[in-house]
Amino acid sequence: MTIDKVYESPQAAVADVPDGASVSIAGFGMTHSFPTSLTVALREQGARQLCIVANSLGTGDYRSNTLIENGQVNRLIVSFSARAGEATSAAEKQILAGEIEVELVPQGTLVERLRAGGAGIGAFFTRTAVGTTVSEGKETRVIDGVEHVLETALKVDYALIRATRADRFGNLEFEGVGRNFMPAFAKGARIAIAEVDEIIDGELNPESIGLPGIFVSRVVRKTVEVPHDFPAPREGRGADSARTYHGKQALTRRQMAETAAGLLPNGSYVNLGLGIPTLISNYIEGRDITLHSENGVLGYGTIASREDYNPEVYNAGGQYVHLQPGASFFESVTSFEMVRGGKVDFVALGAFEVDGAANLANWSTPSMVGGGIGGAMDLVAGEVNVMVLMTHCDSGGRPKLVKNCEYPLTGRNCVDLVVTDLCVLRRAGDVFRLESIAPGFTAAEIAELTELELDLGEFGE
């Protein structure tokens, strides 16, 4: 019998998905790497009471959220159920109404749980999420003097993934960062279904295979062409936007990123998180700094323009970027190995709050239904220098540098540097020391707008 895993259509490939099935659907951010043809086919097929496992639900008629809008989902295991600043989604409305149960999982833990499920590993201990709401009710253990949380393996009935090309054996080939979640999602599934741009006549070069066919049950050529839009910044939050304090303009987001870039030492491996940190990539050109992104790229540089971007190369914020010499691509499991294994030197993240104990809160606020953990809990869990970039106060004038975080924690005692639109603070023992001040402002003004205890250093003399 000759192996042939090719199905005639996406509809045929998902025809046997029953009510109550668990389905992992790969995809990154709001629009990238989603198996759109398979998702649309599953919507048309109509299976109900589904448990969807995903990093992000995406947006529009072609991604995971469309199944929720169609009333087919009653449970979610995701890294993002909501995003700050985005319009309320169907998922949020149904979660709030009690129609959908949701479990939020850090991104690195999610892929590791799926990988473990496919590898016959029942559970594992991780430093990720220690001391946060995510670890509540779970077993913890001190290993080598460090507290760890027990996470169980995750198996699903079906996985919907995408790749660039396949052969009849089910071998898959990816381009750029397109492999991100695909291997882990496929391995954790009883039946993995791959949607591809091309099914070749013959076989793939063994050297180019990103996922061996043993992990893939079905392949199908895509049938849905998704309109592609170049991402634009949200209104009022462009790189040159700036807040005003005491009638004076603070640093723009672009200036904050440039300041942060100047604090990174040469020879560093640096991860840039969502929001303002992504702009740092525009200010390291020519320096010996290598940028890492959890979606699977090491060695990228400046943000690309509409005229010169590659749709298969984007950063953690979903922005298209240029590659640097020596760049490499890999899956998300490998990416988080680099972080938790101590290979990444600096992590730059946005935040809602940082408190006097160097605790970080950046994934949920009281106005959000659930939240967006993403990879942040994994990124701050290892031996890494954590730099936070954020405005000094929120849009309502509330200080973000507080005595004690009121919002759910991302990590405990993990923040080393804070760059705001008014100053730079560096952790020194039990306090943050004022290291520099934005032009036109004084140390007294900084202190007035800061709740946590400050060491004014040379500015207090």
Side-chain angles (χ1 to χ4, degrees), residues 78-98:
V78 294
S79 296
F80 289 90
S81 65
R83 293 174 183 265
E86 297 288 347
T88 303
S89 68
E92 293 170 81
K93 293 175 183 177
Q94 292 182 39
I95 293 168
L96 198 59

Side-chain angles (χ1 to χ4, degrees), residues 210-412:
L211 183 65
I214 195 170
F215 295 112
V216 180
S217 302
R218 305 168 186 172
V219 295
V220 63
R221 184 165 180 169
K222 72 174 183 181
T223 56
V224 173
E225 291 292 340
V226 182
H228 177 72
D229 295 319
F230 191 84
R234 288 179 291 189
E235 186 175 352
R237 300 187 67 176
D240 293 311
S241 63
R243 292 243 164 97
T244 299
Y245 303 91
H246 296 163
K248 296 178 286 188
Q249 181 175 298
L251 298 178
T252 65
R253 284 168 160 75
R254 198 184 303 277
Q255 290 170 322
M256 292 168 62
E258 186 174 11
T259 298
L263 298 171
L264 298 172
N266 285 334
S268 300
Y269 288 99
V270 181
N271 176 282
L272 303 182
L274 305 179
I276 301 172
T278 61
L279 296 170
I280 291 174
S281 65
N282 287 332
Y283 299 99
I284 62 164
E285 192 168 1
R287 295 185 58 193
D288 185 19
I289 292 175
T290 304
L291 296 183
H292 166 277
S293 185
E294 58 264 35
N295 56 308
V297 58
L298 186 68
Y300 71 92
T302 54
I303 296 172
S305 69
R306 188 183 297 271
E307 291 71 36
D308 68 349
Y309 74 97
N310 180 341
E312 300 298 339
V313 182
Y314 47 87
N315 63 17
Q319 298 164 309
Y320 299 110
V321 291
H322 298 127
L323 294 179
Q324 297 288 86
S328 58
F329 299 118
F330 36 85
E331 64 162 310
S332 291
V333 168
T334 301
S335 188
F336 285 105
E337 287 173 345
M338 296 174 184
V339 174
R340 292 191 303 265
K343 305 302 182 184
V344 174
D345 302 299
F346 278 80
V347 168
L349 297 169
F352 299 134
E353 292 179 327
V354 172
D355 71 16
N359 296 322
L360 170 67
N362 80 342
W363 68 272
S364 186
T365 69
S367 64
M368 297 171 69
V369 180
I373 295 176
M377 286 188 184
D378 303 277
L379 292 170
V380 303
E383 298 296 330
V384 65
N385 296 288
V386 176
M387 175 194 293
V388 169
L389 284 81
M390 63 183 184
T391 55
H392 208 87
C393 297
D394 65 20
S395 58
R398 175 181 175 274
K400 292 187 175 184
L401 291 157
V402 296
K403 291 181 180 178
N404 296 290
C405 287
E406 295 182 6
Y407 298 162
L409 293 186
T410 304
R412 298 184 307 189

